[in-house]
Amino acid sequence: MTLASGLWLLVTLGRSADDRRGETQILAVARWWAEVQRRRMARWYDTGTADLAAPLTGMPALSYVATRWTVGLLGGVVLLAAAIGAGYASLLVWGWFLVDLDQWPLVIAPATFGGLFLLFLCIQGVHAVALMDEQLIRHFLGPSDRQTLERRIGELAKSRAGVVEAVHDERRRIERDLHDGVQQRLVALGMLLGRARRTPDPEKSSELLRQAHEESQQALVELRDVAWRVYPAALDEGGLAAALETVAERAAIPVRLSCELRDTPPPTAQAVAYFVAAEAVTNAVKHSGAEQVTVRADRTGELLRLRVEDDGRGGADASGSGLLGLSRRIAALDGTLSVASPAGGPTIITAELPCA
């Protein structure tokens, strides 16, 4: 296939487009073969080449197939050398059948060492051939600079719209918390104070004032909870570790916390990681029936990773309003959010945030 494509490409190199109209079948076959190779790389190399844009014409695919013979030839040489190295390295096991024991140290030992060294070189060669294969397919079949920019603009526009929607959802939630919680407390407080002023009985007035005091304390607690859900002060004072400790302390079930951050992540990444942990713990308490939640935060290079796992019944909906809002926030930072929640549990929520 590669040889035929190369010969055809050389024969038709100087021909016009009108002369090539009747040769679409060869282009279609080359495009099909290039697509097979792209899927192979996406599956075995885990390079993300599955999302590469398909060529608009068959010529890029044909050029890729025609030039790939060099990589294939090099890969064959590497595999042949690996087979030879394996043969020499295995002499340590069966070579004593061929060589006298008196000559064994002088013949078998150097051959075995050379075979092992050749195998080591072949391992490096396989990695190099894989990289060359990836670069080749990206060069011929990858998106152009314009396509890459257009896709990036689309992603930014989508993430910006998602962030705006998440902000609106957060505002609606704050309004609902204030209306259903703090506002009701303040209304009850005003009514109790009004009754205390109007009653002539000192004992009843004292009781009403006591109830009003309790209502004011409850209103203050709820107001603090609302402010804490908007943005915790511990995040600025003690960083992500301190903020996650407040999440564990406020949870109604035990929360195991592990926070290993050698370098301090950016404030934006810390805030998003905190909100992911808070939402995940809240969902575990309210919906999963979990008895314990484990929260782990660590930073590897330029990546902040947060993992929240509970032992509940599972079945979490990743498209729910809470997790959907978090996914929009994470997408705005070019991060990823994954939710694994099979029936019967456990539920594992993982967020990865870039810190560059």
Side-chain angles (χ1 to χ4, degrees):
M1 177 66 184
T2 301
L3 181 59
S5 300
L7 293 175
W8 187 89
L9 187 63
L10 290 175
V11 171
T12 61
L13 188 62
R15 299 172 63 180
S16 63
D18 294 336
D19 297 333
R20 296 178 181 176
R21 290 179 180 176
E23 299 161 341
T24 56
Q25 187 65 28
I26 297 179
L27 296 177
V29 174
R31 180 184 298 177
W32 168 81
W33 182 252
E35 182 65 25
V36 170
Q37 296 300 314
R38 183 168 60 180
R39 293 179 180 178
R40 174 184 61 84
M41 289 187 63
R43 179 178 179 181
W44 296 106
Y45 294 165
D46 192 23
T47 56
T49 53
D51 60 346
L52 292 177
L56 299 179
T57 65
M59 291 304 298
L62 185 66
S63 301
Y64 164 73
V65 175
T67 56
R68 189 180 177 273
W69 70 270
T70 55
V71 179
L73 179 61
L74 183 60
V77 172
V78 171
L79 292 179
L80 179 61
I84 296 174
Y88 276 102
S90 63
L91 286 176
L92 187 64
V93 178
W94 57 272
W96 58 278
F97 286 104
L98 304 176
V99 180
D100 294 337
L101 294 179
D102 296 337
Q103 299 178 355
W104 189 91
L106 299 176
V107 177
I108 301 299
T112 302
F113 176 78
L116 292 175
F117 184 72
L118 185 58
L119 281 177
F120 171 77
L121 295 179
C122 289
I123 293 175
Q124 304 299 320
V126 168
H127 180 67
V129 170
L131 291 179
M132 292 175 62
D133 201 11
E134 178 188 353
Q135 294 298 324
L136 189 67
I137 196 172
R138 287 188 180 277
H139 175 74
F140 285 104
L141 305 182
S144 62
D145 294 340
R146 180 174 180 178
Q147 291 174 329
T148 302
L149 290 176
E150 289 178 351
R151 183 176 60 182
R152 181 57 178 165
I153 291 173
E155 292 175 352
L156 292 176
K158 183 178 179 180
S159 64
R160 182 181 64 181
V163 170
V164 172
E165 185 64 26
V167 170
H168 290 334
D169 292 341
E170 187 70 15
R171 289 175 177 174
R172 286 191 289 266
R173 185 188 64 80
I174 295 173
E175 188 276 334
R176 184 174 59 253
D177 291 343
L178 292 176
H179 180 272
D180 297 340
V182 178
Q183 180 175 325
Q184 299 299 324
R185 294 286 183 183
L186 294 179
V187 170
L189 176 61
M191 294 177 63
L192 289 172
L193 292 176
R195 291 177 58 189
R197 290 181 58 188
R198 291 191 301 269
T199 182
D201 188 354
E203 294 183 1
K204 187 176 181 180
S205 177
S206 177
E207 176 64 20
L208 291 172
L209 290 175
R210 185 189 64 79
Q211 296 179 14
H213 182 265
E214 292 179 355
E215 286 291 336
S216 67
Q217 295 298 317
Q218 292 295 328
L220 184 60
V221 171
E222 294 184 2
L223 186 59
R224 287 174 178 172
D225 288 339
V226 172
W228 176 74
R229 285 193 293 268
V230 171
Y231 191 87
L235 197 57
D236 290 334
E237 297 173 356
L240 180 59
L244 293 179
E245 289 178 0
T246 61
V247 173
E249 293 172 357
R250 290 173 175 266
I253 59 176
V255 176
R256 296 178 57 187
L257 179 62
S258 175
C259 191
E260 300 178 358
L261 301 176
R262 298 178 180 178
D263 299 324
T264 303
T268 306
Q270 292 189 71
V272 173
Y274 160 77
F275 284 113
V276 171
E279 182 68 24
V281 172
T282 300
N283 290 343
V285 173
K286 290 184 177 180
H287 307 297
S288 71
E291 297 181 356
Q292 181 174 308
V293 180
T294 302
V295 179
R296 294 186 177 91
D298 61 82
R299 179 175 179 180
T300 304
E302 298 298 328
L303 193 66
L304 172 62
R305 182 180 293 105
L306 180 77
R307 175 188 171 98
V308 183
E309 179 179 355
D310 67 67
D311 57 358
R313 65 178 67 95
D317 185 10
S319 60
S321 59
L323 292 178
L324 182 59
L326 292 176
S327 65
R328 289 169 175 170
R329 290 191 181 189
I330 293 173
L333 297 181
D334 290 334
T336 59
L337 177 69
S338 62
V339 180
S341 184
T347 297
I348 302 176
I349 298 177
T350 305
E352 294 183 347
L353 302 167
C355 299

